[in-house]
């Protein structure tokens, strides 16, 4: 197995796979410590597609995992025979395609009553491949951004642990096409629409980033621009957040691996 991504989610998945006897052939990330728990080779690649040959030669079971990965898989990597690329996505597909940091915000603004994690096969489109499995949880009317994001990260790791044995055994098959349900994409350009939601009743809780403000840099900058006195109606700061919640420690450990196990 090859793992591509970054952060605590990647490191926990690598550790889990190795401790349960699955081969970890290569870890592709910015931090070489991500491969330490599996005693596996490490590759720091700014463009994973430039190393298609390396991945093809290294992978012993034909499985590539993408976790917390912002790189887009392209040709020729996608057309390597015998290579199956699976992405663990923080969000329900195809409803929450794109950047999870942005999708969570709009899920709350749009009044979504559930969120979750999805594992899907990677194809040329962004988060458009067939869905293999998902893990859902309810979103309450008072839930805040940092709470939903934290639950999403936990759901991603739980889903990885759940589906890993079936993927390794070759028995995990697509449950449905991602396009079978209404689709929405949330990239950085979606942040340009935030100003229209400043008076939305869910704006404050949807923008309460808590500890995730330190990791969702583009979102943080967009919110700071909107909260400046010059941009708010009447010259007063706009509502919404960047507050540090009570469960900040747990969230930081899951994002950064600060507990030493990430």
């Amino acid at each position: 197995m090859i793992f591509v991504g970054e952060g605590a989610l990647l490191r926990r998945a690598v550790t889990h796979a190795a401790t349960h006897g699955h081969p970890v052939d290569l870890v592709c990330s910015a931090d070489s410590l991500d491969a330490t728990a599996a005693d596996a080779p490490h590759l720091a690649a700014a463009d994973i597609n430039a190393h298609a040959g390396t991945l093809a030669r290294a992978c012993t079971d034909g499985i590539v995992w993408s976790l917390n990965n912002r790189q887009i898989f392209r040709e020729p990597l996608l057309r390597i025979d015998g290579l199956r690329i699976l992405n663990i996505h923080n969000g329900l597909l195809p409803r929450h395609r794109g950047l999870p940091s942005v999708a969570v915000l709009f899920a709350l603004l749009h009044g979504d009553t559930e969120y979750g994690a999805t594992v899907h096969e990677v194809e040329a489109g962004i988060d458009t491949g067939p869905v293999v499995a998902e893990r859902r949880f309810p979103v309450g009317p008072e839930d805040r951004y940092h709470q939903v994001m934290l639950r999403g990260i936990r759901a991603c790791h739980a889903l990885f642990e759940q589906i890993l044995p079936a993927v390794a055994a070759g028995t995990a098959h697509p449950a449905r096409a991602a396009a079978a349900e209404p689709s929405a994409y949330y990239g950085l350009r979606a942040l340009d629409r935030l100003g229209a939601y400043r008076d939305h009743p869910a704006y404050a809780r949807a923008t309460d980033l808590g500890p995730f403000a330190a990791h969702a840099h583009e979102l943080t900058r967009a919110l700071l621009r909107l909260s400046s006195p010059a941009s708010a109606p009447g010259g007063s700061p706009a509502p919404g957040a960047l507050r540090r919640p009570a469960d900040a420690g747990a969230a930081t450990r899951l994002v950064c691996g600060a507990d030493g196990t990430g």
Side-chain angles (χ1 to χ4, degrees):
M1 293 182 182
I2 292 178
F3 291 80
V4 182
E6 61 182 25
L9 187 58
L10 173 76
R11 197 174 297 184
R12 289 173 186 268
V14 169
T15 301
H16 180 83
T19 56
H20 284 75
H22 298 284
V24 179
D25 303 309
L26 182 66
V27 178
C28 305
S29 70
D31 189 347
S32 61
L33 292 177
D34 294 333
T36 302
D39 194 23
H42 177 263
L43 173 66
D47 180 8
I48 194 65
N49 301 286
H51 300 272
T54 299
L55 269 64
R57 290 188 295 271
C59 197
T60 59
D61 59 5
I63 300 169
V64 177
W65 291 101
S66 170
L67 300 108
N68 194 29
N69 173 39
R70 293 187 66 164
Q71 295 198 54
I72 299 174
F73 292 94
R74 304 187 188 278
E75 304 289 353
L77 186 55
L78 290 175
R79 67 168 182 261
I80 295 176
D81 288 336
L83 211 61
R84 186 185 193 191
I85 305 175
L86 295 166
N87 180 50
I88 303 287
H89 180 74
N90 188 347
L92 298 175
L93 294 179
R95 191 191 314 175
H96 306 126
R97 294 173 51 233
L99 295 175
S101 58
V102 181
V104 168
L105 185 152
F106 280 96
L108 291 172
L109 290 176
H110 293 160
D112 287 4
T113 57
E114 61 179 357
Y115 200 76
T118 308
V119 57
H120 68 98
E121 295 185 346
V122 174
E123 58 181 23
I126 300 176
D127 300 330
T128 58
V131 171
V132 177
E134 61 183 19
R135 193 177 183 94
R136 297 174 179 247
F137 58 82
V139 175
E142 302 302 323
D143 284 345
R144 310 185 81 77
Y145 179 102
H146 64 84
Q147 295 170 322
V148 177
M149 178 62 81
L150 179 57
R151 292 176 201 152
I153 294 173
R154 288 172 171 161
C156 284
H157 185 64
L159 183 58
F160 171 78
E161 291 186 345
Q162 170 191 323
I163 199 69
L164 176 62
V167 171
T171 59
H173 305 296
R176 60 176 169 82
E181 297 182 1
S183 175
Y185 178 81
Y186 299 100
L188 294 180
R189 291 184 180 178
L191 297 178
D192 295 337
R193 307 198 302 266
L194 265 182
Y197 290 89
R198 289 166 57 139
D199 296 326
H200 192 287
Y203 186 87
R205 65 187 183 92
T207 58
D208 186 359
L209 306 188
F212 294 101
H215 308 282
H217 303 296
E218 299 96 345
L219 180 52
T220 300
R221 285 194 292 269
L223 293 176
L224 287 175
R225 285 195 299 271
L226 284 173
S227 65
S228 65
S231 66
S236 59
L242 312 186
R243 291 191 292 269
R244 187 174 179 84
D247 59 350
T252 302
R253 285 193 294 273
L254 274 172
V255 175
C256 303
D259 59 356
T261 63

